Amino acid sequence: MSTVEVQELDGAPGLGLLYPKAVLTGFTRSGKELPGTGYLRRAVEVDRTQLAQYSRVCGFGVTDTLPVTYPHILTFPMAIKLMTAPGFPFPLVGLVHIGNRIHQLRPVRAGEPLDLRVWAQNLGDHDRGRQFEVVSEAAVGEEVLWREVSTYLRREKSSGAKESRPETPELPEAAALWRVPKDIGRRYAKVSGDSNPIHLYPLSAKLFGFPRHIAHGMWSKARCLAAFEGRLPDAYTAEVSFKLPILLPGKVAFRTERIGDGWEFDLRAAGDGRPHLAGTIS
């Protein structure tokens, strides 16, 4: 982040204002470079009530240690502010979250005031358009405890052919079958602040081209990692590729296999095996 100009924020950006802004200003965006700016919030305290609610929605136990995915919801408003700021090259509406990598350098405790940083980097070509990364960090003083890299795709190309089904690793039979309730999008939105209409109701999702509302990708990642609770070291990396969305309500199969010192896992539709997510823990 040394080459990024940092703007310090006094509080969390209001997502209730940023989402309408994204819709209203998206058609004016056209650029070729990412902004050389990032955001910083200092000494952010964790709301333990929200932490407990988040843990329950995602399947984690309620403890004083943050689930590995929890800092994402602390930095997410800053990331949305970055992607809706003047000069950002792409409209937020239509961006596809295709990958997420989280490095936990050590467990984060709820009582630790966190310095949060967010910036964008690595704009480049993708087979279907352009992609870039949004990097988020949580630190205590000079010690970085957690780092996340989210990869987003701006679709700009189409071959005209029917898109092939994404490949996922061959893993053993399902370790668990999970019913994903129709209100999980609204429940996750309540604890995360991510109230994108594609996740809330069938009608609002249809306005953006989906047959029904869909589960948040970061909920599905969190739910998978919750299944490993108690089996992971203090420091590790959890990386996923997001495949096809989970239409709500749904039923999914969670599969996993031990690979060396880590794990491979995936999430598929329980009926026809359509892939929703594929990941590794190392």
Side-chain angles (χ1 to χ4, degrees), residues 19-79:
Y19 278 124
K21 176 183 176 182
V23 174
L24 293 173
T25 64
F27 64 91
T28 66
R29 295 178 181 270
S30 178
K32 297 182 179 180
E33 295 183 358
L34 295 172
T37 57
Y39 296 120
L40 166 68
R41 290 185 63 204
R42 296 187 186 274
V44 175
E45 296 184 357
V46 171
D47 182 326
R48 282 182 165 83
T49 299
Q50 182 192 37
L51 171 62
Q53 292 171 342
Y54 173 91
S55 297
R56 293 188 184 101
V57 167
C58 296
F60 294 101
V62 178
T63 71
D64 202 46
T65 300
L66 306 190
V68 67
T69 49
Y70 185 81
H72 169 85
I73 73 169
L74 300 179
T75 59
F76 182 72
M78 301 163 67

Side-chain angles (χ1 to χ4, degrees), residues 26-232:
F27 64 91
T28 66
R29 295 178 181 270
S30 178
K32 297 182 179 180
E33 295 183 358
L34 295 172
T37 57
Y39 296 120
L40 166 68
R41 290 185 63 204
R42 296 187 186 274
V44 175
E45 296 184 357
V46 171
D47 182 326
R48 282 182 165 83
T49 299
Q50 182 192 37
L51 171 62
Q53 292 171 342
Y54 173 91
S55 297
R56 293 188 184 101
V57 167
C58 296
F60 294 101
V62 178
T63 71
D64 202 46
T65 300
L66 306 190
V68 67
T69 49
Y70 185 81
H72 169 85
I73 73 169
L74 300 179
T75 59
F76 182 72
M78 301 163 67
I80 296 299
K81 181 176 176 63
L82 181 71
M83 290 189 283
T84 55
F88 199 83
F90 308 118
L92 181 65
V93 177
L95 289 179
V96 183
H97 191 188
I98 60 173
N100 179 271
R101 182 172 70 251
I102 292 176
H103 307 277
Q104 178 175 282
L105 285 79
R106 72 158 171 81
V108 184
R109 296 181 294 276
E112 297 183 283
L114 301 173
D115 291 346
L116 307 176
R117 301 176 180 86
V118 170
W119 69 97
Q121 65 180 28
N122 292 342
L123 176 62
D125 292 329
H126 186 280
D127 289 344
R128 290 177 289 164
R130 302 280 279 166
Q131 70 176 31
F132 63 93
E133 297 172 342
V134 174
V135 184
S136 306
E137 286 186 345
V140 174
E142 297 299 317
E143 181 189 11
V144 176
L145 310 182
W146 178 94
R147 180 180 296 111
E148 174 190 64
V149 180
S150 284
T151 304
Y152 290 90
L153 168 67
R154 168 63 176 175
R155 287 197 180 106
E156 296 176 349
K157 302 175 184 177
S158 175
S159 64
K162 186 176 180 180
E163 190 169 320
S164 61
R165 178 173 293 182
E167 294 183 1
T168 50
E170 289 300 325
L171 299 174
E173 290 302 310
L177 294 175
W178 299 329
R179 293 189 181 278
V180 187
K182 65 181 180 180
D183 67 344
I184 196 63
R186 297 190 293 275
R187 290 167 55 199
Y188 184 81
K190 184 176 179 179
V191 299
S192 70
D194 185 355
S195 296
N196 188 323
I198 65 175
H199 302 300
L200 304 181
Y201 298 98
L203 180 59
S204 59
K206 286 178 180 178
L207 295 175
F208 293 91
F210 294 92
R212 301 199 303 274
H213 54 317
I214 63 175
H216 294 74
M218 287 304 295
W219 174 84
S220 62
K221 178 174 183 175
R223 183 64 186 89
C224 289
L225 294 178
F228 292 96
E229 200 165 32
R231 292 186 284 168
L232 300 179

